[in-house]
Amino acid sequence: MNIDTRQINLKQEASRAAMNFITPYILENNNFLIGVGTGSTVDFFIDELSCFSCSIAGAVASSDRTKSKLSSCGIKVIELNSIDHLPFYVDGADEIDESFCMIKGGGGALTREKIVSSVADKFICIVDESKLVNRLGSFPLPIEVIPMAVNSISRRLTLLGGKVVLRDGFITDNGNVIIDVHNLYIQDQLSLEKEINNFPGVVTNGLFAINRADILILAADEGVQLIHRY
Ligand code: 5RP
């Protein structure tokens, strides 16, 4: 099996495990709502969720891509402003560490992912084993930025030790741009998330430490593990 097929299989297994975990909650609640992230792993999860399209009241999407996929699977898309909270938010990650802090935003949906996950009781992160790391930062940290602030923010990020690359030709669902920061030494995830968020013009950065995952579903060749944050 080549590496791509293996990784795809693991993503599918993680998604299936998330669905198995959530199914009892769907069956005991006639008004079940769920928050849905963005990415290839989440696309598999939406395929699983589509089997329950008649049993769930709806889903809140974290991107236009997820909105379209949910609709095409017959799942009603609900606007975040029409609800108070969600029991679960399910999403992938680009990296996750042992304290369940993550780097997200490889797909550029970080801002809406952060917003939707912030109203969920439980953030379930579904990943294949390649995403589990000892220290965050090998994956470049995505930062959504108001276009006029690209240079001023880039200068600040360079002072933090990062190598800054503007994501070529990419515009977010919110009409902004993404800066990917390479080579950052991330020691204190929480402080760095707050520090970068305070740079004028930053919409969101892809560190998810303030609102980290509660449950990790990790698919590896040896099997799938569901781990609750301690
Ligand atoms: C999108 C994200 C995704 O969760 C992350 O990029 C992982 O994607 P994939 O499941 O395709 O590996 O943060 O903004």
Side-chain angles (χ1 to χ4, degrees), residues 25-195:
Y25 297 91
I26 296 179
L27 297 178
E28 71 191 24
N29 180 352
N30 336 335
N31 206 21
F32 186 86
L33 292 169
I34 187 164
V36 184
T38 299
S40 56
T41 317
V42 164
D43 282 347
F44 290 125
F45 176 73
I46 298 173
D47 291 334
E48 298 287 335
L49 199 61
S50 66
C51 304
F52 290 88
S53 58
C54 299
S55 317
I56 64 175
V60 178
S62 62
S63 63
D64 292 344
R65 164 183 169 161
T66 291
K67 227 182 247 181
S68 307
K69 171 92 181 162
L70 286 165
S71 299
S72 71
C73 287
I75 298 164
K76 185 172 176 197
V77 177
I78 308 274
E79 288 305 316
L80 184 62
N81 280 327
S82 67
I83 58 137
D84 296 331
H85 91 288
L86 295 161
F88 298 107
Y89 174 78
V90 177
D91 202 351
D94 298 300
E95 285 184 346
I96 182 161
D97 68 16
E98 283 174 356
S99 65
F100 291 11
C101 292
M102 297 166 281
I103 286 185
K104 292 185 44 54
L110 61 163
T111 298
R112 295 189 188 187
E113 291 174 340
K114 221 174 245 195
I115 295 170
V116 179
S117 63
S118 75
V119 306
D121 295 337
K122 296 276 179 216
F123 186 138
I124 302 176
C125 179
I126 50 175
V127 290
D128 65 85
E129 61 184 345
S130 70
K131 307 292 184 72
L132 184 63
V133 297
N134 288 328
R135 182 195 291 276
L136 298 177
S138 296
F139 192 92
L141 180 66
I143 303 183
E144 180 165 353
V145 167
I146 305 278
M148 71 175 288
V150 164
N151 284 354
S152 58
I153 289 169
S154 295
R155 282 194 292 276
R156 288 174 187 261
L157 292 167
T158 305
L159 286 175
L160 287 181
K163 182 175 170 294
V164 168
V165 178
L166 182 64
R167 202 177 289 185
D168 199 22
F170 187 88
I171 302 292
T172 69
D173 289 347
N174 313 305
N176 299 309
V177 295
I178 299 272
I179 293 175
D180 291 303
V181 193
H182 299 247
N183 302 341
L184 270 184
Y185 182 76
I186 304 176
Q187 190 158 28
D188 182 342
Q189 311 95 321
L190 201 70
S191 308
L192 188 64
E193 181 179 358
K194 289 182 189 163
E195 184 178 357

Side-chain angles (χ1 to χ4, degrees), residues 98-101 210-216 227-230:
E98 283 174 356
S99 65
F100 291 11
C101 292
I210 298 166
N211 186 22
R212 60 187 75 180
D214 300 291
I215 297 171
L216 168 62
I227 311 161
H228 291 264
R229 176 150 59 90
Y230 48 84

